[in-house]
Amino acid sequence: MPSLLPNASQQHLQRRAQRLSHVIYWCMGGFITAMGLNLWVGVNWYTQAIFALTLIALSQALRAISGQQVERASTILLWGITLCLSAVIAANFGLLDKGVLGFPALLIFAALFSKPRQFWILFSFILAVVTLLGIAQLSGWKPRITMNVTLSTLANTFTILAITGFSVHFLARDLRLTLNQLAEENEKFRASEAKATYLAQYDALTGLPNRTLCEDRFTTSLLRIKRHGGQCALLFIDLDNFKTINDSLGHSIGDKVLQMVAKTLKRSLRETDTACRFGGDEFIVLLNDVKNARQVERVAAKILKMLTKPAQLDNHYIQTSASIGIAMAPQDGSDFESFCKNADIAMYRAKADGKNLYRFFDAGMNTLSDERFVLIKDLRKAVKNDELRLYYQPKVDLRTGKLVGAEALIRWQHPERGLMTPVDFIELAEETGLIVEIGNWVLREACRQCKQWHLAGHSNLEIAVNLSPVQFTRGTLEKEVVRALSEAALEGQHLELELTESLLLSDAENVRAQIADLRLHGVSFSIDDFGTGYSNLGYLSKFDLEALKIDQSFVRKMLDSKQDLNIIIAIINIAQSLGLATVAEGVEDALALARLQELGCDLGQGYFWSKPLACDEFEQLMSEFS
């Protein structure tokens, strides 16, 4: 957090210098007045000379203050006046001179304004002056007076000064302590207040203005535009792959990525612009005083280019990208919320168009937003209305050519849109949490259907089900799996759960514990789409797994791409060394099948055997394999 408070000791020094200068001016005024009165009633050149010398000393004290030498100024003031009083008292009436009354005032001043060492020196000097004057007068010296000084006079004067000096010292010490404590408490309070203000307006992780301050600044810009004309732009920025980074490499790396993005945004902007953290992996950029959309495009393109530059964080090479939605003021909204909403809609259009893009908002995009809302609403009814379907894709043993299992794949039979694939609704289901209810339905239906096939004579058939990370984080996965197995009367050894790499890395201890619990029920596990994420081979030995599924993107290009072929070879070798089976996805022709068999791949899926089929069609396929 940047320093929001001035230096407290410097403030104290300034106040002390100000008070000291006031005292000096008052003293100088008093001496000048006394010199004038002396001239009026009769010249006492000795006293006038003493006063003149004292005025010179006080002027030197003022010069010391102007040079920030407060302690030196205090010393000059105290000793100048003390010497002046001592000389005047000695030249006039001695201990009976009224000037003696000035000594207690000097002691009070010294106790408040000088250091303890200087106070004690001054106090000792005054006592010495009084003692010497008293002894001198007792010995017969009588300066300009006829009244005798007795030992009692000396004792009384000495006692009064001693009591005054000690009392003032201890009172001043306590006063200093109290004032210092009050100053410290005041500084702590101000620091706490400043910190609270900072935290209320700035993001603690990135140091960028938060949503509250962002709204305040945008509202100010919008009011200025409405009064004086002009344009500004609101850029809504969402990182494209942050969830994968956060899940795969951990939250500490995720935090550093967010900090890196914040620095990148600040480097991309003018001083008059503002980068804010809106929340999570979302940022907002406010561009003030823009001339046209072309200027905004240049900034958006610059941000995208800088964000895609690879960076090294804790031995990991990270490459981010972002999608940007742009709303122009004043035409694309009425207040901060409406501009954010419209820029968010434009950002989703950028994601839909391929990510790492920027898109300007236009009124037609509201239709997309409305469709999204309606789709979420329909999805909530899908389970209750029995609109979900399971399709099955065969899993084949590449050595024997026999059907050994099936992967259950969800479809949504929408009453108006027709049959929808997971691409159309799974992301929405995860965002809204509906994936838990949908995932539980898939588990129950897949187990039920697998048991039906067993009863029909296919007793060795296994069923594979994909799991969402959300199902793990809810903490009820074991309960739901056991329920699905129990209701279907299916043995756990016939159920395989497919996990993603990111899930295994995001919360390793929690996932490992749940896998261990489920394995007690005979359930097996595999990693889906292996090689496409932030592959960390170290975790393979930490989890009790059965198989690695080679992603179809490698399989489809293996005959034409040496790099993809080498990746497949590496995955098979790793699996074999760890005692894991390999499943090739996306097998589409005999040549790919033959190559996989040569490499020692165990199982395969793909259009070479069949696309995902409805239950009755899959049963017909099973009869063909028999």
Side-chain angles (χ1 to χ4, degrees), residues 372-401:
R372 183 181 174 87
F373 176 78
V374 171
L375 195 61
I376 293 173
K377 184 179 178 182
D378 291 345
L379 190 57
R380 295 185 187 278
K381 303 176 183 177
V383 177
K384 295 179 181 179
N385 294 345
D386 195 26
E387 296 172 3
L388 300 180
R389 304 284 185 270
L390 282 187
Y391 276 52
Y392 303 91
Q393 186 169 38
K395 187 183 294 183
V396 179
D397 187 324
L398 299 189
R399 289 183 293 271
T400 64

Side-chain angles (χ1 to χ4, degrees), residues 43-317:
V43 178
N44 183 340
W45 294 111
Y46 178 79
T47 303
Q48 295 289 77
I50 292 173
F51 286 173
L53 290 173
T54 304
L55 285 172
I56 293 172
L58 294 180
S59 65
Q60 291 301 311
L62 285 176
R63 289 185 61 186
I65 291 175
S66 64
Q68 302 298 318
Q69 297 175 305
V70 179
E71 291 298 332
R72 184 167 181 268
S74 175
T75 302
I76 294 172
L77 171 64
L78 287 170
W79 284 100
I81 296 179
T82 301
L83 293 173
C84 174
L85 279 178
S86 300
V88 170
I89 291 169
N92 290 285
F93 301 102
L95 291 184
L96 299 177
D97 194 281
K98 294 179 180 178
V100 175
L101 298 176
F103 285 145
L106 281 172
L107 291 175
I108 294 173
F109 182 85
L112 293 174
F113 279 88
S114 65
K115 295 181 178 180
R117 182 172 178 273
Q118 182 168 272
F119 170 82
W120 288 113
I121 294 173
L122 188 72
F123 183 35
S124 300
F125 178 81
I126 290 174
L127 290 178
V129 169
V130 169
T131 302
L132 290 173
L133 285 174
I135 292 171
Q137 288 184 268
L138 287 171
S139 301
W141 176 62
K142 299 179 180 180
R144 297 182 58 184
I145 58 172
T146 56
M147 185 180 297
N148 292 328
V149 171
T150 65
L151 186 60
S152 176
T153 305
L154 174 59
N156 291 340
T157 305
F158 189 92
T159 301
I160 291 170
L161 287 174
I163 292 173
T164 302
F166 282 109
S167 300
V168 165
H169 169 72
F170 291 117
L171 287 173
R173 185 188 65 179
D174 292 342
L175 180 61
R176 272 203 204 95
L177 289 174
T178 303
L179 290 175
N180 287 338
Q181 290 175 352
L182 287 174
E184 289 176 3
E185 291 299 323
N186 183 52
E187 187 172 0
K188 288 179 182 177
F189 173 78
R190 293 179 63 207
S192 176
E193 188 179 43
K195 184 177 180 180
T197 301
Y198 176 85
L199 292 176
Q201 296 181 335
Y202 289 85
D203 175 60
L205 177 63
T206 63
L208 294 179
N210 62 13
R211 178 172 181 162
T212 302
L213 186 55
C214 179
E215 180 175 0
D216 181 68
R217 291 185 178 179
F218 181 79
T219 302
T220 301
S221 297
L222 192 60
L223 288 174
R224 185 174 65 251
I225 288 171
K226 290 179 178 179
R227 291 173 182 171
H228 306 292
Q231 281 185 309
C232 69
L234 187 150
L235 281 63
F236 198 102
I237 303 171
D238 184 87
L239 301 184
D240 292 328
N241 58 344
F242 180 72
K243 187 177 186 301
T244 303
I245 294 173
N246 213 29
D247 290 346
S248 302
L249 303 180
H251 293 290
S252 61
I253 295 294
D255 288 346
K256 290 180 181 179
V257 169
L258 293 175
Q259 292 169 339
M260 180 183 70
V261 170
K263 292 178 182 177
T264 300
L265 292 178
K266 286 192 285 188
R267 289 197 304 268
S268 305
L269 304 178
R270 305 168 298 177
E271 290 185 2
T272 55
D273 302 326
T274 302
C276 310
R277 187 183 179 197
F278 195 70
D281 61 343
E282 296 174 335
F283 295 83
I284 281 182
V285 166
L286 304 179
L287 302 180
N288 291 307
D289 301 320
V290 297
K291 297 178 181 179
N292 49 49
R294 181 59 185 158
Q295 182 181 352
V296 179
E297 281 188 279
R298 286 196 295 268
V299 176
K302 180 181 179 182
I303 291 173
L304 293 178
K305 182 179 180 180
M306 293 184 71
L307 286 177
T308 54
K309 290 182 179 178
Q312 186 172 359
L313 296 175
D314 293 354
N315 298 322
H316 297 283
Y317 283 94

Side-chain angles (χ1 to χ4, degrees), residues 25-38 51 55:
Y25 281 123
W26 277 104
C27 290
M28 292 179 73
F31 281 115
I32 292 171
T33 302
M35 291 176 71
L37 291 173
N38 284 339
F51 286 173
L55 285 172

